[in-house]
């Protein structure tokens, strides 16, 4: 059987699991593919690896392809999103000094209440707050700014958002370079294990179905290699389905923990997969239901409304025309290619390519191409609803 090699890039994060599982568990081989996985040190280097052709596909922060389409971020090539690799999966953490102040003021670190946690953080931080994120164009940045802006006029004006690569986040907060962070697992848990920080909130408490990482390719590659694109989408869909099975968690954590990939203890990696967290160095335990998603609720589907929500946030912060940004973003998440690749596989595909973001307070059955599709909760912490048709 002839195999086609696809060089693909990733960062050492739990949500790189679909790419790694696709190769290690044989889902890529089922599509006659070999994924040649390249570990990158930072999101900017991974973006450039894809732009300049060192890899043909990459795990990517969901806002990066949208930012590139809007002319932001310095990307030298346009990108297309073939699928969503993961929803949610991030944590917000604070320094030991901030966590002590918050605890002394009565905060209980419930790990599920964005409003209470945000107000407690603001009260403890005072006029200045330095927050580390992995990249300027990231869901970490978008969730943080949306959250802090939505907490009201008491939000401090002296907030600084600083770029820190994920593997350096624990060291940065220990050294006092930042006061808080938003990062993908397992790097928040590493900060807890090293005694340098306390986890305050999962990102899903701000937006319960946020597209976190996506599979991105150069737009030209997507157009000239439709067959390869389809085979890659199918391999990752099967990997996501396998990862969604609770019985797969132990093996998935072991695979990710290997020196080749994350090179970290499997027990720490498994916290994100199970949603069972140690949030403080004192051993405080918290559960985060649906902390990270790879398959359930049509998690892999690249909704155009997700790209448009991101575009609107970017446009507002960067002074861009809102309507132009919405129109441009709609073509970045390629739901058309995703549908074409998965027809005939048994995958349940939504009937629409756009939806109201934030409008699902509990799981529901939605119309699909051939049968109903189960969608999971999709709500913002402040109860707002994003309608892409009315956003201009």
């Amino acid at each position: 059987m002839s195999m086609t090699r696809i060089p693909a890039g990733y960062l050492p994060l739990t949500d790189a699991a679909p790419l790694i599982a696709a190769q290690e568990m044989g889902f890529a081989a089922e599509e006659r593919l070999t994924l040649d996985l390249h570990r990158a040190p930072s999101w900017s280097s991974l973006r450039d690896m894809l732009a300049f052709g060192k890899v043909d596909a990459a795990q990517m922060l969901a806002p990066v392809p949208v930012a590139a389409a809007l002319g932001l971020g310095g990307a030298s090539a346009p990108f297309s999103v073939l699928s969503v690799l993961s929803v949610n999966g991030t944590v917000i953490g604070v320094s030991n000094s901030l966590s002590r102040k918050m605890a002394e003021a009565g905060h209980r670190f419930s790990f599920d209440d964005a409003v209470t946690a945000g107000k407690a953080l603001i009260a403890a931080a005072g006029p200045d707050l330095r927050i580390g994120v992995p990249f300027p164009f990231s869901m970490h940045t978008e969730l943080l700014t949306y959250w802090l802006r939505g907490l009201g006029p008491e939000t401090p004006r002296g907030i600084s958002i600083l770029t820190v690569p994920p593997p350096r986040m624990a060291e940065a907060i220990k050294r006092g370079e930042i006061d808080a962070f938003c990062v993908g697992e397992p790097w928040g848990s590493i900060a807890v294990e090293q005694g340098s920080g306390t986890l305050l909130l999962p990102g899903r408490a701000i937006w319960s179905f946020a597209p976190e990482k996506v599979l991105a390719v150069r737009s030209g590659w997507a157009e000239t290699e439709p067959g390869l694109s389809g085979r890659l989408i199918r391999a990752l869909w099967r990997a996501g389905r396998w990862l969604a099975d609770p019985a797969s968690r132990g093996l998935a954590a072991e695979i990710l923990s290997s020196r080749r990939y994350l090179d970290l203890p499997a027990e720490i990696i498994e916290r994100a997969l199970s949603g069972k967290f140690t949030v403080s160095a004192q051993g405080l335990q918290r559960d985060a239901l649906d902390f990270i998603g790879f398959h359930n609720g049509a998690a892999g589907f690249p909704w155009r409304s997700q790209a448009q929500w991101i575009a609107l946030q970017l446009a507002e912060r960067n002074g861009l025309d809102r309507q132009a940004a919405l129109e441009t973003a709609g073509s970045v998440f390629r739901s058309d290619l995703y549908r074409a690749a998965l027809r005939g596989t048994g995958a349940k595909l939504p009937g629409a390519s756009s939806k109201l973001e934030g409008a699902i307070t509990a799981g529901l059955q939605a119309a699909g191409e051939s049968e109903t599709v189960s969608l999971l909760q999709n709500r913002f912490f402040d109860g707002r609803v994003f309608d892409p048709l009315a956003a201009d």
Side-chain angles (χ1 to χ4, degrees):
M1 180 174 65
S2 177
M3 305 290 283
T4 301
R5 172 181 167 273
I6 295 182
Y10 73 97
L11 249 66
L13 291 154
T14 303
D15 53 28
L19 278 168
I20 295 168
Q23 176 60 26
E24 295 290 342
M25 297 302 297
F27 302 114
E30 288 181 34
E31 294 291 335
R32 307 184 313 283
L33 298 176
T34 296
L35 298 182
D36 183 8
L37 297 174
H38 296 256
R39 175 170 163 166
S42 68
W43 290 113
S44 58
S45 63
L46 182 52
R47 176 200 60 197
D48 293 343
M49 286 166 63
L50 182 60
F52 293 112
K54 184 173 181 180
V55 296
D56 289 331
Q59 172 201 24
M60 192 167 281
L61 297 156
V64 170
V66 178
L70 300 181
L72 300 171
S76 58
F79 303 124
S80 292
V81 170
L82 299 185
S83 68
V84 173
L85 290 179
S86 60
V87 296
N88 307 325
T90 61
V91 290
I92 296 168
V94 297
S95 67
N96 289 331
S97 60
L98 269 181
S99 67
R100 281 194 296 269
K101 290 180 182 178
M102 295 170 70
E104 289 169 359
H107 186 64
R108 301 182 63 183
F109 292 88
S110 66
F111 210 52
D112 62 359
D113 185 342
V115 173
T116 299
K119 291 185 175 181
L121 173 61
I122 289 168
D128 299 308
L129 180 62
R130 301 164 301 165
I131 308 178
V133 299
F135 198 63
F137 301 104
S138 63
M139 287 306 296
H140 313 83
T141 301
E142 301 312 326
L143 292 176
L144 279 173
T145 53
Y146 183 86
W147 176 48
L148 294 172
R149 188 172 63 238
L151 290 172
E154 65 269 28
T155 302
R157 295 185 177 182
I159 294 176
S160 302
I161 295 182
L162 309 174
T163 300
V164 181
R168 278 206 65 246
M169 204 65 79
E171 178 187 0
I173 203 162
K174 183 177 183 179
R175 289 176 176 271
E177 298 168 10
I178 54 176
D179 307 304
F181 58 73
C182 183
V183 72
E185 276 293 286
W187 298 106
S189 289
I190 292 295
V192 173
E193 289 301 300
Q194 294 181 357
S196 57
T198 299
L199 301 186
L200 176 63
L201 207 65
R204 76 174 310 276
I206 300 169
W207 183 7
S208 64
F209 204 78
E212 175 55 32
K213 303 300 189 309
V214 297
L215 175 71
V217 299
R218 293 181 300 280
S219 294
W221 192 89
E223 298 299 335
T224 59
E225 299 287 355
L228 281 180
S229 295
R231 289 155 63 185
L232 186 55
I233 289 168
R234 288 191 292 274
L236 290 168
W237 178 80
R238 293 188 180 101
R241 183 176 59 179
W242 179 77
L243 288 164
D245 184 348
S248 301
R249 289 172 185 161
L251 179 55
E254 288 292 339
I255 292 170
L256 291 169
S257 73
S258 73
R259 180 172 297 181
R260 180 182 177 188
Y261 297 124
L262 272 65
D263 194 18
L264 292 169
E267 182 273 327
I268 294 178
I269 295 170
E270 194 168 355
R271 294 179 192 180
L273 299 176
S274 67
K276 297 183 179 300
F277 283 89
T278 301
V279 302
S280 74
Q282 292 71 40
L284 183 64
Q285 302 291 306
R286 292 289 184 258
D287 290 343
L289 182 66
D290 296 327
F291 174 79
I292 189 169
F294 300 109
H295 180 76
N296 296 336
F301 190 82
W303 295 93
R304 292 178 177 175
S305 48
Q306 293 174 334
Q308 289 174 312
W309 183 88
I310 293 168
L312 189 61
Q313 312 311 307
L314 292 172
E316 289 179 347
R317 277 209 314 283
N318 292 278
L320 304 181
D321 181 85
R322 291 160 52 99
Q323 182 58 35
L326 289 169
E327 292 175 359
T328 298
S331 63
V332 175
F333 279 33
R334 297 296 303 272
S335 52
D336 56 329
L337 297 180
Y338 189 87
R339 290 181 188 282
L342 289 177
R343 286 193 182 111
T345 63
K348 294 182 179 180
L349 299 169
S353 296
S354 184
K355 65 182 186 302
L356 298 177
E357 299 294 345
I360 304 176
T361 58
L364 59 78
Q365 298 295 311
E369 283 195 348
S370 57
E371 56 184 309
T372 58
V373 177
S374 297
L375 300 181
L376 300 181
Q377 183 192 70
N378 180 345
R379 65 178 300 273
F380 295 102
F381 82 100
D382 55 6
R384 294 185 181 182
V385 173
F386 172 69
D387 181 354
L389 297 179
D392 58 338

